[in-house]
Amino acid sequence: MAKLKPRVQACFEAGAKGSGCEVEVNWANVDYLDLNTNWPLADQFRTHAEALGREFVPYEQALKFGAGSTDMGNVSYRVPSIHPMMAVAPPNVVIHNPEFTKWAGSEKGDLAVLDSAKALALTAADFLLSTSLQDQTKRAFDVSIGLS
């Protein structure tokens, strides 16, 4: 985001000039980083979720339905992180609307929360009990932040 600030600033200034206005931009002191997914942990989560009967669509296909949002990107560059998402509604139902609310409050929505909690707890237990998973997680994290 820091690399884009000068271009965005120039767009604001051009818009102001073109409309006969003035613009003053005060950038925040913190940039919001993208999500740095730790794939060994994400794969372990997926294994447990699939064992609970959950199905995953390919990442590229999932992006067509909207990937949601999170503000944990900065955290994911400090510690290995995952941001798993579990379907509570059919793919054609978008979040933040009344139809999604119905699905989220349904039995299917409750099951998604329980399955997510179980898969996450099992992933955490695996991490705590497996030096192999700890090593894979650390290696992947170090590579992702440029330490290796």
Side-chain angles (χ1 to χ4, degrees):
M1 190 167 147
K3 292 178 184 178
L4 291 176
K5 281 182 180 179
R7 291 177 64 190
V8 172
Q9 179 78 31
C11 290
F12 291 157
E13 291 169 0
K17 184 176 182 177
S19 62
C21 299
E22 294 180 10
V23 65
E24 179 182 327
V25 178
N26 297 304
W27 295 99
N29 291 330
V30 178
D31 289 325
Y32 296 94
L33 299 175
D34 62 324
L35 183 64
N36 180 27
T37 299
N38 186 275
W39 291 106
L41 287 179
D43 291 342
Q44 197 67 22
F45 176 88
R46 180 179 180 155
T47 297
H48 290 301
E50 287 176 337
L52 293 166
R54 292 288 166 170
E55 295 179 14
F56 286 74
V57 296
Y59 182 73
E60 295 75 25
Q61 184 180 348
L63 293 177
K64 294 177 187 173
F65 303 116
S69 64
T70 180
D71 58 359
M72 68 177 273
N74 292 32
V75 173
S76 70
Y77 281 84
R78 301 277 187 198
V79 295
S81 304
I82 61 174
H83 187 263
M85 296 178 67
M86 193 74 66
V88 301
N92 63 320
V93 177
V94 295
I95 61 172
H96 304 304
N97 72 55
E99 187 178 359
F100 182 83
T101 302
K102 291 177 190 173
W103 283 97
S106 73
E107 198 172 299
K108 183 176 180 174
D110 290 344
L111 183 59
V113 171
L114 291 173
D115 285 348
S116 297
K118 289 175 188 177
L120 194 56
L122 290 165
T123 302
D126 288 346
F127 179 81
L128 293 171
L129 297 171
S130 170
T131 55
S132 174
L133 182 57
Q134 291 169 17
D135 291 343
Q136 292 171 36
T137 299
K138 182 175 181 354
R139 275 194 305 277
F141 180 72
D142 288 349
V143 167
S144 73
I145 62 169
L147 293 180
S148 291

